[in-house]
Amino acid sequence: MKNELAGPPARPTEVGPRPLERSDGRTEDAGERAAVSESTRLHTLHEISLLINAAQTREEILGVVRRESKWVVPAELTFLCLLDKSRTRYTVGSLSASFDESPLNEQEFPLSEGLPGLVIRNQSPLMRRVTPGSTANDVFEEELSRPGIRALLLVPLRTGDLTIGALGFGSGHLNVYPEQDVAIAQMLASQMAIALQSMTMLDDVKRRIAQIELVNELSGTLTSTLDLSQLLHTAVETIRKTFSYFDVTLLFVDQHAGEVYLVAHAGVHADFLPAGYRQKISDGVIGWVAAHGQLLLVNDVREEPRFLAYTYRATRSELAIPIKVGQEIIGVLNVEADAVHAFDETDVTVLEILCDQLGVAIKNAQLYDELKKSNAKLTELDRMKSDFLGIVSHDFRSPLASIVLAGQALLRRSGPFDQQRVNEYLQVIVDQATRLNYLAEDTLSIAKLESGQLSYHFNIVNLDRLIRDAAALVNFTGRHTFECSVDPAVAFARGDQAKLRQVVQNLLTNAVKYSPRGGSIRVRAKAYTEDQVVVSVQDEGIGIPADQSDRLFRKFSRINTESAREIKGSGLGLWICREIVRAHGGTIWVESTEEKGSTFSFTLKKAEAEQG
Ligand code: ADP
């Protein structure tokens, strides 16, 4: 029975030196060596195996072989060839000081090339006498012959049926390695392969656990974070750290511009992509994913034509996954690694799950942002509407007060009947009632404009009469002079008389309102193009700053200057004007100089006077 209290076996330390070395410095010959040391070598191999088994990391395993293999397999140099994940290429690594400087060290070869490739493919050892300068030599023989290697032994690194690479020994001896050496090298290689394979599996399990923890942790953060930029940043940072990718980027798709743009970036080269980086949707791996909505796994970027060469030179593999909300592709998660075949199926699955969650989280954060914005807009609209109601009720009150006063004066009359005075009072009542009527019409048209229900009755409009009708409804003060000139060549336009009256009246009311120091107010109508007429209202008032003149015509928009703020208004008049002018197929604009005055102009279609 296993003794639970025994604990792990004591870790062996160094093995060598063994009696392979001779004090006279003479090289042993193979037969002599075999006779002398067969059992000793087996014993040494057993000790090396213990060391290999006790190693905690891949580096420790390689360190043991590097230090100890010479005691069991005589060699001037030792090297290792390891298959990559794709099992199509192998990389050479040094296991002895004499190989460290070899041009073969750290080189990568396709499995179809080189003697180690042959050994891995055939899963059987190979011994070779190396003849310098022979044309039949492959690259390994060629390179190894340079430092004086004359015999080469390669054994496969096998665990069961799986070959993960090859172990190579080079000797200056002319004699090829004897069978005993081959057998011992194979035993050593198989110990090494098992240990390396377990290490890979252990690493894999560790990585999986970390990834599952990441998904848990991140999904918690994602569903609880509504701050979009923090959310994106946390996502890329966590992914990079957990998966050890050297670069992670998140890009959003701008369908309108046909581009993708960077929104979060974590990586060794964090400065490489500038903030605000944009690229066409058709470019590169990322662009392809954004356009097609499918993930793209590039195991070796050198073999992928869609890979953009200007991205990191260190990038060897890339995985880009679309982020979707429903059917809409809203972004791309892009991860890059500096090794080929860096991503396996589990990486892809885990990152796909994350992208699904990211999609939902991004949508939530965006909705929350929109909600915040529309809330702020609603609050602002609410304030503007209250302002507007205040102004409208004030506008209604003053003609009403005049009507009441005139009526009361008529009723109170007790003296002789003065027809002229009575007529004057009655005129006040009629004028003010007409004003009220127009005011009610204007207020109503705002609601109708908003709901798109304002109806127009197009006719031929006499411009001179239109302007004078409108001016009659404006309270000019003694500080203002009013002039009107209509070019007889364009005396008529096509339009809705009542609506156009409203436009001119609004512009004139503004001209008076925004010229508190008085001045002249001129209205002109003249030809604009062959079939258009322009009506302009000019004042000598406070003017409008150039940078604000564009937004004047928007609903509730008011100028933000000290002098303008002092004057009460709703910010609706010009919006109504623009809507009415647009419905006539015309345009409205302003030219203005601060403190000098403004000219508002709008165009209408010309018309001929009706016959008869
Ligand atoms: P209101 O005058 O009720 O605020 P309007 O839509 O008529 O709304 O005008 C919008 C803004 O444009 C005004 O608040 C004012 O700042 C500016 N404005 C309009 N007409 C003039 C003008 N003739 N001179 C200077 N500023 C003007």
Side-chain angles (χ1 to χ4, degrees), residues 162-282:
L162 186 72
T163 304
I164 61 166
L167 192 58
F169 303 90
S171 162
H173 242 276
L174 269 179
N175 288 342
V176 192
Y177 281 97
E179 255 177 50
Q180 297 93 318
D181 281 359
V182 178
I184 286 193
Q186 271 189 292
M187 282 190 259
L188 176 68
S190 110
Q191 289 294 333
M192 224 181 135
I194 291 167
L196 285 174
Q197 191 60 9
S198 328
M199 208 56 82
T200 307
M201 278 155 69
L202 189 70
D203 283 354
D204 225 38
V205 171
K206 277 191 201 156
R207 212 155 58 92
R208 297 286 166 250
I209 292 171
Q211 289 170 352
I212 290 162
E213 278 172 359
L214 158 85
V215 176
N216 270 338
E217 186 193 319
L218 208 54
S219 62
T221 318
L222 293 185
T223 43
S224 63
T225 313
L226 286 170
D227 177 338
L228 189 57
S229 89
Q230 190 202 329
L231 184 149
L232 301 176
H233 194 74
T234 310
V236 291
E237 273 297 345
T238 320
I239 292 171
R240 194 184 78 83
K241 262 193 242 147
T242 317
F243 290 76
S244 313
Y245 301 142
F246 85 96
D247 196 77
V248 180
T249 42
L250 238 172
L251 299 102
F252 275 1
V253 178
D254 179 346
Q255 295 287 6
H256 185 65
E259 290 178 336
V260 290
Y261 59 97
L262 183 72
V263 286
H265 185 195
V268 179
H269 303 280
D271 298 333
F272 183 85
L273 285 182
Y277 166 82
R278 295 182 86 90
Q279 65 156 76
K280 284 216 193 82
I281 227 171
S282 50

Side-chain angles (χ1 to χ4, degrees), residues 510-511 513-514 539 542-544 552 557-559 564 568-575 598 600:
N510 279 351
K513 218 162 69 164
Y514 296 103
D539 65 50
I542 59 173
I544 296 155
L552 284 186
S557 173
R558 305 207 65 220
I559 292 295
K568 277 205 174 307
S570 62
L572 279 169
L574 289 179
W575 171 68
S598 318
F600 283 83

Side-chain angles (χ1 to χ4, degrees), residues 461-471 482-493 504 508 521-528 532-537 602 604 606-607:
V461 177
N462 178 326
L463 290 174
D464 190 61
R465 201 162 63 227
L466 172 87
I467 294 165
R468 288 186 194 284
D469 279 357
F482 171 68
E483 277 172 46
C484 167
S485 71
V486 176
D487 179 351
V490 289
F492 300 96
V504 179
L508 279 173
I521 294 171
R522 292 192 193 91
V523 186
R524 284 196 198 97
K526 57 182 184 182
Y528 188 60
Q532 277 185 314
V533 45
V534 62
V535 180
S536 53
V537 178
F602 65 94
L604 290 173
K606 266 190 211 167

